[in-house]
Amino acid sequence: MVSSLSNKKVAVVTGSSSGIGYETALMLARNGFLTYATMRNFNKSENIKSIAAKEGLPIHITQLDVTDRVSINNAVTAISAETGRIDVLVNNAGYVLEGAFEHLSMDEIKAQYETNVFGLIRTTQAVLPIMREQKSGIIVNISSVAGRLGYPGGSAYISTKFAIEGLSESMSYELEPFGIKVVIIEPGVIRTNIFDSVVVAKKSKDPNSPYTQITQKMASSFEGMMKNASSPELVANIVLEAVTNDNPNLRYLAGKDAETWLDAKRNMSDKEFYKMMKQNLM
Ligand SMILES: NC(=O)c1ccc[n+]([C@@H]2O[C@H](COP(=O)([O-])OP(=O)(O)OC[C@H]3O[C@@H](n4cnc5c(N)ncnc54)[C@H](OP(=O)(O)O)[C@@H]3O)[C@@H](O)[C@H]2O)c1
């Protein structure tokens, strides 16, 4: 437990309507954080609200669309007016754009960055003045094992996660003197709605695309990986471990698959790794 009921730490989670964000908001609330479960669509708040009511959890639902600066500012202003502080920000909102690189339109790529990268930047920049003022805080950025390695059909999504890795690593140096920590979470394949909400690039849907064979093979590889997918609770537990640690790591892997891939990446040459990935995925 974090602290007494009258003096709870305040956590803000983006994308709490499902999956990792939903479980993380519940996990933080169950462990004593006054938790603002933010989501872009209030209509998706019924489940978390009813669990919070049943268990008596300190959860508030707040509207926040990471692509909308006004929505972010309204949410952060309201939270800080209510609580006077923000101790934890979990940047979780995201989705996957899939498709062969040649087929990605600029609009599709920009939309992917608007949510996964610029959304994280906007939200973090809105929260940082509060953390800097209070001289403490922790920013948790949900990256992915896809922030450390590439695979076919994933260049857009993967590049957003590589961007998050670079932003986070650089920010950590700047923020440490102000008592603010940065943590990167790198999940492997996690059983959530993300696979149902994948956006497939328009041109990649053409069955006559020269990349069809590669993208179909990749899709069936993912189906296989889903069988051994980890639960979103596992990721939520790792977030909890990081935010309750006085001296957290910069990076946390989440899932056995993530550990296996990263071990291979560390222990193989680029050529060996490329060959192994090709054999496994294509
Ligand atoms: N599942 C995996 O295998 C996996 C692996 C590594 C990393 N991740 C990362 O984990 C994070 C969460 O994904 P998930 O697996 O939990 O998927 P999910 O179940 O699809 O949840 C994604 C969440 O992001 C929200 N979201 C999307 N666009 C948003 C926006 N503009 N503003 C606010 N919220 C928005 C969604 O809201 P709506 O319900 O309104 O769409 C939903 O709450 C993502 O950053 C993802 O890249 C997932």
Side-chain angles (χ1 to χ4, degrees):
M1 283 290 189
V2 167
S3 58
S4 74
L5 282 175
S6 57
N7 186 28
K8 287 180 191 301
K9 287 200 171 181
V10 177
V12 178
V13 182
T14 66
S16 301
S17 63
S18 80
I20 294 170
Y22 173 89
E23 293 298 344
T24 298
L26 286 173
M27 181 69 70
L28 293 175
R30 283 176 180 137
N31 284 275
F33 286 84
L34 173 55
T35 303
Y36 285 80
T38 74
M39 58 189 73
R40 60 178 165 176
N41 183 354
F42 267 131
N43 294 333
K44 294 190 175 177
S45 63
E46 289 315 314
N47 279 353
I48 200 163
K49 268 193 205 151
S50 79
I51 294 177
K54 202 162 125 197
E55 296 183 26
L57 300 175
I59 291 188
H60 295 274
I61 312 294
T62 305
Q63 200 277 338
L64 192 161
D65 180 337
V66 299
T67 64
D68 178 353
R69 184 178 295 282
V70 174
S71 148
I72 295 169
N73 288 343
N74 287 345
V76 172
T77 305
I79 294 166
S80 87
E82 271 170 37
T83 64
R85 56 187 303 113
I86 295 178
D87 299 287
V88 176
L89 169 64
V90 183
N91 284 307
N92 163 77
Y95 75 94
V96 173
L97 169 63
E98 203 177 87
F101 173 76
E102 187 185 339
H103 284 167
L104 302 171
S105 74
M106 283 312 292
D107 282 347
E108 288 165 336
I109 296 171
K110 282 179 184 169
Q112 172 78 120
Y113 272 75
E114 275 300 331
T115 298
N116 290 17
V117 181
F118 304 142
L120 175 149
I121 293 172
R122 278 185 207 101
T123 313
T124 307
Q125 286 182 342
V127 167
L128 275 181
I130 297 165
M131 290 186 170
R132 203 163 35 72
E133 180 82 8
Q134 74 200 16
K135 298 189 177 59
S136 68
I138 179 159
I139 310 280
V140 179
N141 291 332
I142 308 294
S143 173
S144 170
V145 73
R148 307 284 290 281
L149 52 88
Y151 51 78
S155 57
Y157 176 70
I158 283 162
S159 68
T160 65
K161 295 301 184 182
F162 269 65
I164 289 172
E165 297 273 336
L167 284 167
S168 307
E169 206 169 310
S170 298
M171 276 162 54
S172 69
Y173 293 98
E174 295 173 16
L175 298 177
E176 196 249 82
F178 301 103
I180 304 167
K181 298 177 181 98
V182 179
V183 164
I184 306 167
I185 309 284
E186 299 171 330
V189 180
I190 310 295
R191 208 172 300 106
T192 68
N193 289 336
I194 205 162
F195 300 97
D196 301 321
S197 56
V198 167
V199 174
V200 179
K202 202 168 157 221
K203 282 189 186 165
S204 274
K205 289 180 183 160
D206 178 353
N208 299 317
S209 152
Y211 297 100
T212 298
Q213 210 187 341
I214 295 175
T215 45
Q216 279 179 352
K217 185 76 191 44
M218 195 55 214
S220 74
S221 295
F222 261 113
E223 270 171 37
M225 288 181 227
M226 277 302 287
K227 291 189 186 115
N228 298 314
S230 306
S231 71
E233 289 94 329
L234 176 128
V235 186
N237 246 313
I238 292 172
V239 173
L240 177 67
E241 185 188 321
V243 302
T244 51
N245 190 323
D246 287 338
N247 189 18
N249 297 334
L250 176 62
R251 288 190 169 82
Y252 290 82
L253 289 165
K256 281 259 172 304
D257 54 350
E259 285 168 21
T260 306
W261 282 324
L262 258 289
D263 269 352
K265 181 109 198 188
R266 274 190 216 105
N267 296 324
M268 289 179 180
S269 67
D270 282 350
K271 277 189 178 156
E272 287 165 341
F273 188 76
Y274 183 86
K275 202 170 151 199
M276 182 276 292
M277 289 290 276
K278 244 179 95 170
Q279 276 165 357
N280 277 286
L281 299 176
M282 294 173 71

